[in-house]
Amino acid sequence: MKCVVLSDSLKRAVSLVERNTGKDTTLPILGSLFIQTVSGALSITATNLEIGVTTTVRSSTQQEGTIVLPARILSSFLGTIKKEEKMILEAKGNDVRVEIGEQEISIKGFPSDDFPPLPKVDVLYSLTFQRDILVKALIKSLVCVSRSN
C-alpha cells in the first residue's frame, strides 16, 4: 500500500472513527484502524465488535493494499501536525512509513487478516424521520443512558 493524502483530511477521518475503537485489552486489534487504499480513496474502518464505522478520504493511490494501525498512536502523531501538508503512507509488511514534510516515522501495525470483518448489511426495511422529531425523541431518552458499559 502506498498513497498520498492531505493531513487535515486524514486527521478528521481518524478522529471520527477512533471513537468506535474497542478498549478491550485482551483484544488489542480492536483498538486499531483498518486502512485500505482503493482507487483514489483511503478507507478507514474501526469496530468494537458491536458497532463498526467506515469513512473514506480522497487520496492519490500509487499502490493498493491494507494495513492495521493502532488508533491511539496514529491519532497522537496526527495531533502534532500543525498545518495542512501532503502525507505519504507506505506499508511494508505490518509496518507503515509515514512521511510528511521533513518528518518521517514508522508505526508498527498488525496483520490485516487479524482485523474482524464488518458484516454486509442488506437494507430490508428503512425508516424516514424528520431530523427535529428524532432529536427530540433521543433527548427525552438520554435519562436512561448509562455512562459506562
Side-chain angles (χ1 to χ4, degrees), residues 22-146:
K23 308 296 187 251
D24 189 0
T25 56
T26 59
L27 291 172
I29 195 82
L30 295 180
S32 302
L33 303 175
F34 182 80
I35 301 172
Q36 180 178 19
T37 53
V38 182
S39 64
L42 187 69
S43 172
I44 304 169
T45 303
T47 185
N48 62 7
L49 295 180
E50 292 178 5
I51 298 172
V53 176
T54 300
T55 186
T56 56
V57 177
R58 200 172 344 157
S59 71
S60 171
T61 304
Q62 297 173 358
Q63 181 182 358
E64 291 187 1
T66 60
I67 188 76
V68 177
L69 297 176
R72 185 172 290 147
I73 292 172
L74 182 59
S75 180
S76 296
F77 171 69
L78 292 172
T80 64
I81 300 167
K82 300 297 180 201
K83 58 182 180 177
E84 185 171 323
E85 293 189 50
K86 290 184 178 180
M87 296 179 67
I88 299 172
L89 302 172
E90 183 176 6
K92 293 187 177 183
N94 292 334
D95 304 337
V96 69
R97 185 177 63 89
V98 181
E99 185 179 322
I100 181 166
E102 296 184 12
Q103 297 179 8
E104 183 178 321
I105 68 163
S106 180
I107 301 174
K108 292 233 177 261
F110 298 99
S112 300
D113 297 339
D114 290 351
F115 196 82
L118 295 181
K120 299 289 183 196
V121 179
D122 294 327
V123 179
L124 299 176
Y125 305 100
S126 70
L127 300 172
T128 305
F129 295 100
Q130 290 181 358
R131 184 173 50 109
D132 297 339
I133 294 171
L134 180 61
V135 169
K136 285 179 186 177
L138 290 174
I139 288 172
K140 287 182 180 181
S141 66
L142 281 177
V143 295
C144 302
V145 176
S146 172

